[in-house]
Amino acid sequence: MKSSVYIVFFILICCGLAYGQVPEQESGEEISEEMSLEDVENDEEVEESDELQADEPAIQDTLRVKIGPDPVDREIVYSARDSSDLNRKENKLYLWGEAKIEYESYIIEADEIVLEMDNNLAIARSKDGEQYVGQVKFNDGGEEMLAKFLKYNFKTKKGYMEVARMQQGDLNIISEKMKFISEEEDEYKDDAGFGQSAIFTTCNAPTPHFGVRSYKQKIVPDKVVVVGASNVEIGQVPTPLVLPFGFFPITKGAQKGIIFPNDYEYSEQWGFGLRGIGYYIPISEKMDLTVLADIYLRGSWGLQVDSRYNFKYKATGSYNLMYARRLSENLQTGEQDVVTTTSIRWTHNQDPKAHPYQTFTGSVNFQTNNHQSVNFNDAQSVLQNSITSNVSYRRTFAGKPYNLSASLQHSQNTQTNQVNITFPQLDFQMQRIFPFEKKNRGGNKPKWYEEISLTYNGRMSNRFRTTDSTIWTRQTLDDARFGIQHRAAVNSNFRLFKYISVVPNVDVTEVWQFSSVNKFFDEDFAISDTIINVNPIDTIINVDTVGQIITERVNGFRAWRQYNVGASMNTQLFGTMQFKKGFIRGLRHVIKPTVSMNFSPDYQNPNLDYIRAVRRDLLSMDSVFYSVFEDNIFGAPPQTGRQLSLNYSIMNIFEGKYWSRKDSMDRKFKMFDNVLITGNYNFAADSLKFSQINFSGTHRILKGMTVIQMRMVLDPYERDYSRSIQGTRINKFAWNESGRLLNFVNATTTINSNLRMQTVRSWFEPDRTETEEDDKERVDRLGPQSLWDWFQDFSINHTLMMGVTRTANGSEFMIGTNNIQVVGSIVLTDNWRITLGSIGYDFNQRQMTYPDVGFQRDLHCWEMGMNWQPLRGTYNFYISVKPGSLDFLKVPYRKNNEDGLRRL
């Protein structure tokens, strides 16, 4: 949690909130009240020993002394690089050159240390020539402080420093003078430091680039820093930003507190506003809560609630709730428009150790009124057309062949606002069992009937189909569809002639539904056009349409059943060619043919009452057929007669080998993946017994970065183009009419390319072992070292879909999709980075596809950046302190989408 600064106005001082002062020193204490260097300098002559050579080891010894009233001698370990001298007359110990003293939990390091044993004092200083420019290190067993001068009393646990520097959390505190008290022996008192003329900053430079400068301070380590009158200082130049006094919480761990706004904005439509102001509450060690708000002076506002939880060995997750209310002026009517949007996000992940038989996971993403696109301008928020949610629970039973699961599923189209929710959905699944299998068969081969298996799946489901604006209305409940489905399958598997696998099967499906459809023709319905002549008395009424098909939903239990009996056979054929010379050393063709015979009954049988007829219109007296189970959650039985079909499919795989000169060995490659030919012949049909023949295939090039998918449809029958431009199949063979075995219907080709720089780099540097994560870590730490590092997370995506369709006017060529998109960032230097959230071009529309570009500049403890979305006219420029306790120091300048779209 980011530390927060509590600004208290000056008027509160009158209420008794005063800044803590440095306590008065007791008489007899060794530290002067004046905090001056003169009081601690020693003018007496010091008898020094010969200095050691630089390459000789440091002097190290121990000394037993008495500290304070304690009659027991304490051991002091001291060392010095240059020389040391124990003056028995003065009872002082002098150390020079990398001097160090260790006493109990205290450690003092400096260029020069004087230990006055009679006074329980340690005086340390660092010097270079005549100037004190080094650092004294003082560690009391917990906190480490640096200074140019130190005077510490081991008895009173009080000390004095000059040019002191200490770190509390992410805050660096640099004081010209400081007194401190160590209360480690009293658990009811806190250590404290009292500083004079200090600067508080998150910058770790020797001379901070910015900070909050105050004259008086009180520092309670790991708790709080209290400052008097202070002002913000940038580049050692004071600014007009003044605080009467304030608090800097530095407590370790999460603490409740105010969150300063992360952005300040002026909008022509919304007025002045603060974004991200709120409050943080650590509910417990396992859960926290953050409440943020966006507030604008003209009435627009937003609220965001975030929470995270982590229950060890059980589950982790988070949720995010957002609500926004935007007010703007309608340019056409001049009235005020109100737009409200909401967003709900929740993730839950169960720890694998939580339960051996139960799992619960959740991922919810729901929004209304296109919340992401309205409130955010980045490419991902604007271009995301669909969002989904899934919450599932699964229960397995030890030693049992079945399991139970429950789920909630949601899908939403942000362009059409269509929402589909399936809840609840319960599934009971029984794994494949062999009811006739003998348990103690020994090593004997199983009988044919022992190979018979049984599977079952039961599903209960309820579906809501609505829009995001009407989801909470009564109509959503009225339009719900509820049903129960049972599916059972019996099959077996055996070999025929050793190489042919035969799989007979029987499938039975039964669906229980609680509503059905009834349609009737209303002869009294009419659509009319009224034409009024120049003479208002004359009126002509033209009746365009008479009669209409009325659909009504009838509540009540209905069930339908579907049966399918069949058998399939499949095998594999291999063809190979080997070459001893040349680049190509071998070709391989794998053929996987499958033939199946399936039978299903006539579902148009009037006795079943699955299919009904209704009058089309008043003039033609024609009828159309419909299913009484249409628009239900599990669909409806097929509206076809009896089926006795022979289905066939031929899967082809083409592979090869080439000679690698680099490795001096053969390497495999694939030419085509899954070249599939499918079709069927229906023996029970009275016409058009042959189906269309479908060809499809996939080819990958450039190590899979480019995928080419092809599909073609051929028809053995002629087509009648008088009814539609694409024609209707008629029961006349193409061979008899035009001498062609098959007629061309259509063909499509889709080329998807995803060019990632990491993959391209592996082509030129095949021996690299660094992963993409390793490269990112190295670039962040050392900056770009080569051209590859500049584009290390760069990707180019291109999609091209084109097709040819035979029509009444001949073959027509069409390009359906042709666009290119670039996403990633370019690391120019250690401090400069260009980001491309999305920038692309649609060649069909001849326009850019929502460019989203920006840059970032690392300014050590500050950062500068800008994001620009030209199609919306929005941008965001900022200069701010890096995330930390003082990141409220920010200079933003932005234009939101409400203002931007009005200027386009």
Side-chain angles (χ1 to χ4, degrees):
M1 176 64 198
K2 299 183 289 186
S3 300
S4 307
V5 177
Y6 300 79
I7 301 180
V8 185
F9 295 99
F10 183 74
I11 192 172
L12 294 181
I13 299 178
C14 301
C15 300
L17 294 177
Y19 170 74
Q21 299 295 326
V22 178
E24 296 293 333
Q25 302 293 331
E26 299 177 2
S27 60
E29 293 183 351
E30 297 298 329
I31 300 180
S32 170
E33 187 71 17
E34 301 298 326
M35 299 179 68
S36 62
L37 179 60
E38 288 74 8
D39 292 340
V40 297
E41 289 183 344
N42 193 338
D43 296 331
E44 298 183 7
E45 295 292 335
V46 177
E47 182 180 349
E48 299 183 0
S49 62
D50 295 335
E51 295 185 359
L52 297 174
Q53 297 298 323
D55 56 351
E56 294 182 8
I59 300 171
Q60 182 169 344
D61 202 348
T62 60
L63 179 68
R64 302 194 67 86
V65 298
K66 290 183 179 181
I67 299 296
D70 191 348
V72 181
D73 291 346
R74 302 297 179 89
E75 184 177 80
I76 292 181
V77 179
Y78 65 90
S79 63
R81 181 69 185 179
D82 294 341
S83 61
S84 67
D85 179 62
L86 179 59
N87 192 321
R88 295 294 184 180
K89 179 180 179 181
E90 299 177 352
N91 202 18
K92 294 181 180 180
L93 174 65
Y94 297 89
L95 303 173
W96 294 278
E98 298 183 18
K100 182 177 181 181
I101 289 179
E102 297 182 38
Y103 171 71
E104 294 183 342
S105 61
Y106 300 96
I107 300 176
I108 301 176
E109 299 180 58
D111 284 342
E112 179 181 305
I113 299 177
V114 178
L115 179 62
E116 299 182 2
M117 287 169 280
D118 290 340
N119 299 324
N120 307 315
L121 282 178
I123 302 174
R125 68 192 75 190
S126 292
K127 65 179 181 178
D128 183 8
E130 299 299 327
Q131 302 296 325
Y132 297 94
V133 297
Q135 288 184 327
V136 176
K137 295 182 180 179
F138 174 77
N139 192 316
D140 63 354
E143 301 294 335
E144 183 177 82
M145 294 182 284
L146 306 177
K148 290 186 178 180
F149 175 82
L150 167 68
K151 186 176 183 181
Y152 185 73
N153 191 304
F154 291 98
K155 175 184 176 181
T156 61
K157 309 297 184 183
K158 296 180 180 181
Y160 165 75
M161 284 184 170
E162 293 184 0
V163 192
R165 184 175 189 134
M166 63 185 302
Q167 184 171 0
Q168 292 291 311
D170 64 341
L171 279 177
N172 293 298
I173 306 170
I174 305 174
S175 302
E176 290 187 6
K177 299 177 181 181
M178 176 183 289
K179 287 183 179 181
F180 61 93
I181 305 172
S182 178
E183 299 287 357
E184 63 175 8
E185 296 180 357
D186 192 338
E187 61 179 347
Y188 299 103
K189 295 183 179 180
D190 294 317
D191 296 352
F194 302 90
Q196 177 178 310
S197 185
I199 185 170
F200 300 84
T201 179
T202 56
C203 180
N204 57 8
T207 301
H209 299 133
F210 80 100
V212 178
R213 173 77 68 177
S214 62
Y215 180 72
K216 293 182 179 181
Q217 315 85 31
K218 179 178 180 179
I219 305 162
V220 181
D222 298 330
K223 287 192 175 182
V224 69
V225 176
V226 184
V227 300
S230 57
N231 72 299
V232 177
E233 187 176 282
I234 299 177
Q236 298 181 312
V237 177
T239 67
L241 299 177
V242 178
L243 303 175
F245 63 93
F247 301 85
F248 293 82
I250 54 176
T251 305
K252 292 183 179 179
Q255 295 293 320
K256 63 181 179 181
I258 295 175
I259 302 175
F260 265 63
N262 58 18
D263 206 348
Y264 316 92
E265 178 182 0
Y266 172 75
S267 169
E268 297 176 359
Q269 288 294 314
W270 301 338
F272 288 99
L274 300 177
R275 297 171 63 93
I277 186 172
Y279 199 79
Y280 175 78
I281 304 173
I283 300 175
S284 68
E285 294 181 354
K286 302 176 181 179
M287 183 180 297
D288 66 356
L289 178 68
T290 304
V291 180
L292 301 174
D294 301 338
I295 304 174
Y296 295 89
L297 294 183
R298 294 184 181 176
S300 296
W301 59 278
L303 185 66
Q304 177 178 339
V305 179
D306 294 303
S307 180
R308 299 172 297 175
Y309 56 88
N310 186 349
F311 298 94
K312 193 173 183 179
Y313 302 125
K314 291 185 178 181
T316 60
S318 64
Y319 65 83
N320 171 272
L321 308 177
M322 300 182 71
Y323 176 84
R325 186 174 186 268
R326 305 302 189 196
L327 305 180
S328 61
E329 181 184 358
N330 191 307
L331 295 179
Q332 298 179 348
T333 64
E335 298 179 354
Q336 194 175 57
D337 291 337
V338 180
V339 177
T340 61
T341 63
T342 57
S343 173
I344 301 174
R345 292 187 178 187
W346 174 55
T347 59
H348 179 89
N349 296 296
Q350 178 178 309
D351 193 292
K353 302 175 183 178
H355 200 283
Y357 305 117
Q358 299 182 72
T359 57
F360 179 77
T361 59
S363 175
V364 175
N365 186 4
F366 175 79
Q367 58 180 276
T368 62
N369 293 334
N370 210 357
H371 175 88
Q372 289 294 112
S373 180
V374 169
N375 295 278
F376 302 97
N377 300 310
D378 59 284
Q380 183 177 2
S381 299
V382 174
L383 300 178
Q384 187 178 29
N385 295 329
S386 61
I387 56 177
T388 60
S389 303
N390 184 46
V391 180
S392 63
Y393 166 82
R394 180 180 175 85
R395 177 71 162 87
T396 59
F397 302 89
K400 304 298 182 180
Y402 48 80
N403 61 75
L404 179 67
S405 62
S407 65
L408 178 150
Q409 297 175 356
H410 151 261
S411 64
Q412 182 177 355
N413 189 302
T414 58
Q415 301 298 317
T416 63
N417 298 328
Q418 186 72 33
V419 177
N420 295 317
I421 299 177
T422 302
F423 176 76
Q425 179 168 296
L426 300 178
D427 285 275
F428 178 81
Q429 295 181 340
M430 185 181 72
Q431 301 174 3
R432 187 180 302 276
I433 63 173
F434 297 86
F436 305 108
E437 183 181 20
K438 293 182 180 180
K439 295 183 179 180
N440 299 318
R441 188 173 60 245
N444 299 326
K445 184 178 180 181
K447 303 294 184 180
W448 65 270
Y449 55 84
E450 294 184 66
E451 299 287 346
I452 298 175
S453 63
L454 171 66
T455 59
Y456 169 79
N457 179 33
R459 171 174 292 183
M460 181 181 70
S461 189
N462 185 59
R463 184 190 66 199
F464 302 94
R465 185 172 290 172
T466 180
T467 63
D468 60 8
S469 59
T470 61
I471 188 172
W472 309 118
T473 62
R474 176 69 184 181
Q475 189 64 35
T476 300
L477 297 177
D478 295 338
D479 294 340
R481 300 289 182 264
F482 178 76
I484 300 176
Q485 181 188 67
H486 306 272
R487 300 189 66 178
V490 178
N491 56 49
S492 183
N493 191 346
F494 61 89
R495 290 282 181 177
L496 183 65
F497 306 122
K498 189 178 180 180
Y499 298 107
I500 301 176
S501 178
V502 181
V503 182
N505 63 85
V506 178
D507 297 331
V508 179
T509 301
E510 181 170 340
V511 176
W512 299 346
Q513 297 183 173
F514 298 87
S515 65
S516 58
V517 170
N518 181 48
K519 297 183 179 182
F520 62 91
F521 187 77
D522 185 5
E523 298 181 357
D524 298 329
F525 181 85
I527 299 177
S528 304
D529 286 341
T530 301
I531 302 176
I532 300 178
N533 293 336
V534 177
N535 184 355
I537 300 177
D538 297 331
T539 302
I540 301 176
I541 299 177
N542 296 328
V543 179
D544 296 329
T545 305
V546 178
Q548 184 188 33
I549 297 177
I550 304 299
T551 301
E552 61 180 7
R553 182 158 291 276
V554 181
N555 294 325
F557 178 81
R558 289 292 304 267
W560 59 270
R561 299 163 189 85
Q562 185 175 353
Y563 309 94
N564 184 57
V565 180
S568 64
M569 297 185 298
N570 63 80
T571 187
Q572 296 188 42
L573 304 175
F574 300 90
T576 59
M577 296 180 64
Q578 300 288 342
F579 307 100
K580 296 182 179 180
K581 297 181 179 181
F583 178 72
I584 301 298
R585 292 301 178 93
L587 298 175
R588 185 185 188 190
H589 181 197
V590 181
I591 305 175
K592 300 180 180 180
T594 300
V595 179
S596 63
M597 180 72 74
N598 293 281
F599 170 79
S600 60
D602 183 5
Y603 297 105
Q604 294 181 347
N605 189 335
N607 296 326
L608 298 175
D609 194 24
Y610 291 173
I611 311 298
R612 296 177 183 176
V614 64
R615 187 174 177 180
R616 183 193 299 271
D617 53 48
L618 188 63
L619 301 178
S620 65
M621 303 297 290
D622 291 339
S623 297
V624 293
F625 293 94
Y626 71 94
S627 172
V628 298
F629 301 103
E630 68 182 29
D631 193 27
N632 271 297
I633 190 167
F634 293 113
Q639 298 185 35
T640 57
R642 188 180 62 171
Q643 295 285 315
L644 180 60
S645 61
L646 177 68
N647 306 302
Y648 60 89
S649 67
I650 304 174
M651 176 73 73
N652 298 268
I653 300 175
F654 297 91
E655 300 173 315
K657 288 184 179 181
Y658 69 93
W659 175 255
S660 175
R661 295 183 177 180
K662 180 179 179 180
D663 301 326
S664 299
M665 61 182 298
D666 294 340
R667 290 193 172 273
K668 295 182 180 180
F669 69 95
K670 285 189 176 182
M671 294 181 286
F672 292 97
D673 294 340
N674 304 331
V675 178
L676 183 63
I677 305 172
T678 61
N680 67 76
Y681 181 84
N682 187 5
F683 292 95
D686 56 0
S687 62
L688 302 174
K689 294 178 180 291
F690 285 98
S691 70
Q692 296 182 146
I693 302 175
N694 299 291
F695 295 81
S696 62
T698 303
H699 179 52
R700 291 177 172 83
I701 59 177
L702 301 177
K703 292 187 177 182
M705 286 197 304
T706 297
V707 179
I708 303 174
Q709 296 176 319
M710 296 163 286
R711 182 178 177 273
M712 182 174 62
V713 179
L714 302 178
D715 197 340
Y717 294 101
E718 285 291 323
R719 288 179 173 260
D720 181 9
Y721 292 98
S722 62
R723 298 182 181 180
S724 65
I725 189 171
Q726 294 185 354
T728 304
R729 302 180 79 204
I730 58 177
N731 195 32
K732 294 181 179 180
F733 284 106
W735 177 262
N736 297 331
E737 298 297 320
S738 59
R740 292 189 295 268
L741 182 62
L742 298 170
N743 277 331
F744 175 81
V745 179
N746 59 61
T748 59
T749 300
T750 303
I751 304 175
N752 288 302
S753 299
N754 184 6
L755 187 65
R756 295 181 57 84
M757 291 299 105
Q758 284 292 119
T759 306
V760 176
R761 185 174 186 177
S762 65
W763 299 348
F764 296 92
E765 301 177 3
D767 298 330
R768 291 185 76 251
T769 59
E770 287 184 305
T771 64
E772 186 172 353
E773 290 73 18
D774 295 335
D775 288 338
K776 289 183 178 180
E777 189 276 332
R778 177 177 49 79
V779 172
D780 291 339
R781 180 168 45 88
L782 302 176
Q785 305 295 313
S786 64
L787 183 62
W788 296 112
D789 292 340
W790 283 17
F791 301 92
Q792 52 105 8
D793 62 345
F794 211 72
S795 65
I796 302 175
N797 303 309
H798 177 254
T799 301
L800 173 62
M801 184 176 66
M802 50 190 175
V804 178
T805 303
R806 183 187 176 190
T807 65
N809 301 323
S811 297
E812 293 186 358
F813 177 77
M814 177 188 66
I815 297 180
T817 303
N818 186 14
N819 57 56
I820 188 170
Q821 184 183 38
V822 179
V823 179
S825 61
I826 304 174
V827 183
L828 297 179
T829 66
D830 296 351
N831 300 320
W832 280 99
R833 180 187 295 264
I834 297 176
T835 59
L836 302 177
S838 173
I839 182 169
Y841 187 80
D842 189 324
F843 294 95
N844 285 348
Q845 301 295 328
R846 297 182 180 179
Q847 64 180 11
M848 302 287 287
T849 57
Y850 197 80
D852 180 11
V853 298
F855 72 87
Q856 288 83 39
R857 173 70 164 91
D858 190 331
L859 301 172
H860 189 256
C861 50
W862 290 70
E863 59 184 2
M864 176 180 65
M866 180 177 179
N867 296 297
W868 178 44
Q869 300 83 27
L871 291 184
R872 282 194 169 190
T874 58
Y875 56 82
N876 177 26
F877 175 81
Y878 63 91
I879 300 177
S880 65
V881 173
K882 288 184 177 179
S885 300
L886 303 179
D887 59 0
F888 64 91
L889 297 175
K890 183 175 185 178
V891 182
Y893 186 72
R894 66 162 58 220
K895 179 172 288 185
N896 58 43
N897 51 23
E898 185 67 31
D899 297 333
L901 291 174
R902 289 173 176 268
R903 292 182 175 272
L904 295 179

